[in-house]
Amino acid sequence: MARVLIVDDSPTETVILEKILTKNGHEVLKAENGADGVALCRAEKPDAVLMDIVMPGLNGFQATRQLSRGAETSDIPVIIVTTKDQETDRVWGERQGAKGYLTKPVDESKLLSALKSVMAA
């Protein structure tokens, strides 16, 4: 299936996402903050990235912008996965280059559908 990078500073959220992905045959890479996520994405070239927004240091919006505008990572789709459920956050995420936006707690079928959608594009 796909190699998916999870970028989230919450171990609990990371485990939840990882269980959904591995159960459905995906390989999982993990980073605990935006800067590590960007570096790991550049090094490993995953098929997709699940990006939290609220993280220390480089936040998810900033990390998404770096990935979507970076020459070597611009073709890797980023799906924002966050507790921030305001329309302004969704629009801002899309303006940073995110291809999808899901709110926590994540519904398994919505997550898998979003992954399939961004990887087919």
Side-chain angles (χ1 to χ4, degrees), residues 74-95:
S74 62
D75 60 335
I76 301 170
V78 176
I79 299 172
I80 291 178
V81 182
T82 182
T83 54
K84 296 174 79 62
D85 63 356
Q86 299 297 308
E87 184 62 22
T88 52
D89 295 318
R90 181 182 306 274
V91 169
W92 187 245
E94 289 170 359
R95 290 183 63 187

Side-chain angles (χ1 to χ4, degrees), residues 19-107:
K19 281 183 179 173
I20 292 171
L21 293 170
T22 55
K23 181 174 87 173
N24 287 280
H26 299 290
E27 181 183 338
V28 173
L29 304 167
K30 297 177 279 195
E32 295 179 4
N33 59 60
D36 289 351
V38 169
L40 190 58
C41 191
R42 287 179 178 147
E44 295 290 332
K45 304 286 193 286
D47 298 307
V49 178
L50 301 180
M51 181 75 70
D52 186 27
I53 292 177
V54 182
M55 295 182 285
L58 192 70
N59 71 39
F61 287 138
Q62 295 164 321
T64 297
R65 184 169 53 243
Q66 285 187 18
L67 292 175
S68 67
R69 297 188 181 155
E72 70 276 23
T73 54
S74 62
D75 60 335
I76 301 170
V78 176
I79 299 172
I80 291 178
V81 182
T82 182
T83 54
K84 296 174 79 62
D85 63 356
Q86 299 297 308
E87 184 62 22
T88 52
D89 295 318
R90 181 182 306 274
V91 169
W92 187 245
E94 289 170 359
R95 290 183 63 187
Q96 305 317 301
K99 302 293 185 229
Y101 195 102
L102 299 170
T103 52
K104 296 175 185 174
V106 174
D107 176 76

